[in-house]
Each structure stands twice: as structure tokens, then as C-alpha cells.
Amino acid sequence: MAPTKVELVTAWLPGRPWFRGADTPRLERAGGFRLDDPAGEVGIEFAVFEDADGTAYHQPMSYRGAPLEGAEEALIGTSEHGVLGTRWIYDATRDPVAVRQIVALLGGRSVPQAQSLSDTPDPSVVASYGGPLPGGVAGWVSAVDGERWTDVALDGVTLRVLRVLEETPEVEGSAAVTAGVIAGWTGGGEPRRGAFLRVLPA
């Protein structure tokens, strides 16, 4: 893709409230996973980028073949794909298809996929939630950015998408496992693991 995802996020990140740097970031890909759109229209990726200072940024992205109406301020940029042509790349917290698949993941109806391999589940991603989840996500998504996360308000729950990742101890039966999404990335050349998302009462 041209420009690359790293180039697009490098330009996008300094304007976000969770950016910790004082200058242009120097990002490297550091892991993540994908979700499939059942309709096959929207690409959905939860990507991690490590800055030179060691900060791990979580950037959910959706890839579309046409602009998403009303989501101009969530547009990270456009990129040319060698096969698919122009792709419009959005912050996925504002994309109803991506949010719908997050809900499906939490409810056990969507299987996390390896970031760089086709048709390959990623069993290292642990997602679960014991409470009721909204039956559907339609239309515009209400999302509010903070200094460390983005809150996506749905019917009955709030999805807190963590933007700055930190290692999270995993204890069987703990809230860290049962109320959100745990996944891995590489930080400082070492494997890391922590929460990508938490589920909160609305």
C-alpha cells in the first residue's frame, strides 16, 4: 500500500489527545490482530505501533473501498492498494461495521484472525464479556476520545478502546479476562500482553 499504514498513522497520531511525544513519532509495526467483516466489504485491523520512546499505541483501523459518509474527521487517510485500488482508512472506533464486529467478538460470534495471514485464527487473543451486549450497531457511532482511550457508547455498555497499551497481569477469572479483549504485541524487542479493550457499564 502507498502510502503505508506506518506513514499514515505517523501523520495522524500527533493530533490525537493520547499522543505522548513532542515531535513527529518514529513508529514501527509491533503486532495486533484482525476481524473479518461477514459481508467481506470492510477490512478491520487492531494494529499496534511502537514509538522510538517505547510507547505502544493501539490504532484500530477500518479499510473501505469508498468513503464512509459522515466520518470525515475519523479519516486517517487514503492509500493505493495494488489489487483493490484506493482504500479509505478510518479510525475504526467511528466505523459501525468495525464496532459491530467488536461486539460480535465479545459475544463469541467472531473469531480473531492473525494480522498478516489469511484465514488463520489467532488463539492468543482472548475476548469475553459475561453481561448483555447490544443486539446491533447501526448508523453513526458515538465515540469520545480521552488522553489514554476512546469510549464508544452503545446500548447498555461502553467499549473503552485503550490507545496507550500497558502490560496487564492475566489472572483466570479476573476482570481483565472476563470484561474485554486481551492480546499481545512486541515492545522493546520483547513479547508483551495486555488489554486492548475493556467493557464498562453505560
Side-chain angles (χ1 to χ4, degrees), residues 33 102 105-107 125-131 133 158-162 170 174-183 194-200:
F33 64 96
I102 293 173
L105 175 65
L106 291 166
V125 180
V126 178
S128 62
Y129 176 60
L133 290 164
T158 294
L159 305 180
R160 174 159 288 180
V161 179
L162 303 179
E170 287 188 78
S174 74
V177 174
T178 59
V181 177
I182 299 284
F196 279 42
L197 178 146
R198 297 195 183 283
V199 184
L200 308 175

Side-chain angles (χ1 to χ4, degrees), residues 33-37 42-46 61-63 97-98 101:
F33 64 96
R34 297 182 301 104
L35 293 178
D36 287 338
D37 170 20
V42 179
I44 305 166
E45 181 180 5
F46 300 84
M61 294 182 284
S62 62
Y63 308 92
V97 172
Q101 289 311 109

Side-chain angles (χ1 to χ4, degrees), residues 69-85:
E69 185 176 355
E72 292 80 8
E73 60 184 41
L75 181 66
I76 296 174
T78 59
S79 184
E80 294 299 319
H81 190 283
V83 175
L84 300 175

Side-chain angles (χ1 to χ4, degrees), residues 106-123:
L106 291 166
R109 303 188 307 277
S110 181
V111 177
Q113 301 291 310
Q115 189 176 35
S116 302
L117 299 173
S118 299
D119 302 317
T120 304
D122 185 348

